[in-house]
Amino acid sequence: MDELSRRKMLLASGSLGALGLLGVASPARAQTAWTWASGGSVAGAGTGSDPNWVWDDEADRVLSAVIERGDVPKVNELLRTWTRNDQPLPGGLPQDLRQFMEKARQLPSWADQTKLDRAAQFNKTKGIYVGALYGLGSGLMSTAIPREARAVYYSKGGADMKDRIAKTAKLGYDVGDLDAYQPQGSMVVTAVKTRLVHAAVRHLLPKSPGWSQTSGGQKIPISQADILVTWHSLPTFVMRKMLEWKVRISSAESAAYLHVWQVTAHMLGVRDEYVPATWDAANAQSKQLLDPALGRTTEGVKLTEMLLDIVAEIDGGLSRPLVSAFSRYTLGDRVGDLIGLSEEPFWEPVIRNAWPLLVAFREGLIPLPLVPEAAWTMEEAIRRFVLLFLSEGKPINIEIPDANRPA
């Protein structure tokens, strides 16, 4: 897992949007009253507190102390050796951080390993759909979420976007890995490290003039609502699109896919009272949180261009029109316009007509002769895009920042 490439992470997880680094999502928008009922959560009850005003107090206290003591370089060096779920924490960590991480690495009592294993198989068998939706749907949608785009842009990682995208994407890749929450997997490690990053960004970003001037009045980034906005741009969006595409998904597979993301939300520090228990509850929460969050920002358009530039590196830009068209098909014209996707008069009608037939064939709903030649051309281009992104092997370490983007 340590040698997975930056490009593999980008593609497999939905590039920028794989939670944040899951994170920093949600918009500068007129805030409406919180009405989602906590009875629809995995906890079955809650305080009724608006998640826009709830953060991660325990993590925030610890990381503020780590940063203020100047411990970040030492901690990052130690944590580079922590890569598997079953590994003990490295020796030498500050005691307050160690205590927090030992608690944070524990799976919730309601985690169901059978469902987690089934989710891994689902990600494998439906990989072409999940991968396309993460990479060319959720990833680009993240740039249409103003708070996420701005927080990414103005944080330390914004100075090296290719590196930032790779690190952001690691969570999304790991959550779909066959060993994700197994002892030999790395999803627990990735989630805990991401939670540390979120806490560090909450401490640092309010000191950034660029962020403060564009944050729409938000004083502290990455609230529980912000994380949930990005969460919905991943599993809720992906499941909705697969159902629209008429992908065959059993009730057990659907429940398992939701469950792996429920566990992931918990591991990222989201309170159980906000984690949807069912797809109906998730869709209802998404309508309140994600739908009104979408908007256009200068930072989001710049990030979109960065993502497409990375695509262009593969083949000199030949695949870029197809990627833009497929993303427009997946996200819709409204989001495509918000993030500055080009209109592609050749590819857009091809995809609109051919992709549903390709899905129908793969799901056993129509015979081969009904699939047009253009569908195979399109699928091969997407597959080539995937394979080329797997080619460059470099270690990826999620590291705690100790500063914002340099002015």
Side-chain angles (χ1 to χ4, degrees):
M1 291 299 295
D2 288 358
E3 298 303 318
L4 286 167
S5 73
R6 297 176 178 221
R7 291 182 170 181
K8 185 170 186 178
M9 299 307 173
L10 169 70
L11 180 76
S13 69
S15 60
L16 186 63
L19 301 203
L21 259 149
L22 183 110
V24 288
S26 196
R29 66 185 186 276
Q31 192 171 304
T32 58
W34 175 247
T35 60
W36 189 78
S38 57
S41 70
V42 295
T47 63
S49 300
D50 185 338
N52 280 288
W53 302 100
V54 179
W55 288 271
D56 190 350
D57 294 343
E58 187 175 6
D60 293 347
R61 283 193 299 271
V62 172
L63 265 295
S64 292
V66 169
I67 294 170
E68 293 301 320
R69 292 194 303 258
D71 286 341
V72 171
K74 178 182 74 172
V75 168
N76 281 333
E77 183 177 358
L78 290 170
L79 289 183
R80 288 187 194 111
T81 66
W82 188 49
T83 59
R84 282 176 47 126
N85 297 337
D86 59 356
Q87 275 183 280
L89 293 177
L93 288 174
Q95 188 60 28
D96 55 351
L97 180 62
R98 172 180 293 279
Q99 289 177 350
F100 169 76
M101 292 179 66
E102 288 291 6
K103 180 180 177 181
R105 72 187 295 186
Q106 304 304 314
L107 292 180
S109 60
W110 44 265
D112 184 328
Q113 192 61 55
T114 299
K115 287 184 177 180
L116 294 175
D117 293 342
R118 186 177 290 124
Q121 290 300 320
F122 174 75
N123 278 301
K124 180 180 178 180
T125 59
K126 304 299 182 183
I128 186 171
Y129 310 125
V130 174
L133 286 167
Y134 281 168
L136 303 178
S138 303
L140 283 167
M141 186 194 296
S142 69
T143 66
I145 301 172
R147 284 188 183 172
E148 178 164 352
R150 286 168 174 151
V152 168
Y153 189 83
Y154 290 111
S155 62
K156 185 177 182 179
D160 184 351
M161 281 310 304
K162 186 178 291 188
D163 182 69
R164 174 59 189 253
I165 289 165
K167 290 176 179 177
T168 298
K170 181 170 170 57
L171 186 145
Y173 177 82
D174 287 348
V175 76
D177 188 70
L178 287 175
D179 295 329
Y181 284 107
Q182 295 282 1
Q184 67 272 23
S186 59
M187 188 55 215
V188 170
V189 174
T190 297
V192 172
K193 288 184 178 181
T194 299
R195 190 174 174 188
L196 300 180
V197 171
H198 288 172
V201 171
R202 278 190 291 269
H203 180 79
L204 294 166
L205 207 55
K207 303 172 185 178
S208 163
W211 180 80
S212 298
Q213 292 165 12
T214 61
S215 65
Q218 188 183 41
K219 301 301 183 183
I220 305 172
I222 322 181
S223 68
Q224 299 267 293
D226 293 341
I227 297 176
L228 288 164
V229 168
T230 306
W231 190 91
H232 286 297
S233 76
L234 287 148
T236 309
F237 167 76
V238 168
M239 181 55 67
R240 184 172 70 247
K241 294 303 296 187
M242 285 195 291
L243 294 177
E244 288 179 10
W245 289 351
K246 297 181 172 58
V247 176
R248 288 184 168 180
I249 302 171
S250 70
S251 58
E253 289 173 327
S254 177
Y257 182 68
L258 175 61
H259 188 68
V260 74
W261 279 103
Q262 290 169 329
V263 171
T264 300
H266 174 96
M267 297 300 291
L268 288 161
V270 176
R271 293 183 182 180
D272 288 355
E273 68 178 276
Y274 299 131
V275 179
T278 66
W279 283 118
D280 285 344
N283 285 318
Q285 191 184 85
S286 180
K287 287 179 180 178
Q288 179 163 12
L289 289 177
L290 175 60
D291 293 2
L294 302 175
R296 183 183 180 92
T297 62
T298 299
E299 295 85 357
V301 172
K302 288 179 180 178
L303 294 176
T304 299
E305 193 66 20
M306 177 64 192
L307 292 173
L308 295 178
D309 284 347
I310 293 173
V311 172
E313 290 179 8
I314 296 176
D315 56 10
L318 295 177
S319 297
R320 181 165 173 163
L322 185 147
V323 168
S324 295
F326 192 86
S327 294
R328 269 193 177 270
Y329 171 72
T330 302
L331 296 171
D333 285 333
R334 176 183 170 239
V335 174
D337 291 342
L338 289 175
I339 63 178
L341 286 177
S342 60
E343 296 186 16
E344 301 295 339
F346 172 77
W347 276 111
E348 286 179 34
V350 170
I351 292 170
R352 188 165 55 247
N353 293 318
W355 182 257
L357 295 174
L358 183 62
V359 173
F361 168 71
R362 291 201 163 280
E363 297 303 306
L365 301 176
I366 63 171
L368 179 61
L370 294 181
V371 182
E373 186 65 29
W376 303 111
T377 301
M378 176 179 59
E379 183 187 48
E380 179 57 28
I382 293 174
R383 285 190 178 280
R384 186 169 65 249
F385 171 73
V386 172
L387 291 172
L388 287 172
F389 264 89
L390 307 184
S391 63
E392 179 190 354
K394 289 186 179 180
I396 298 200
N397 295 303
I398 295 174
E399 298 198 336
I400 300 167
D402 56 4
N404 293 313
R405 179 185 181 130

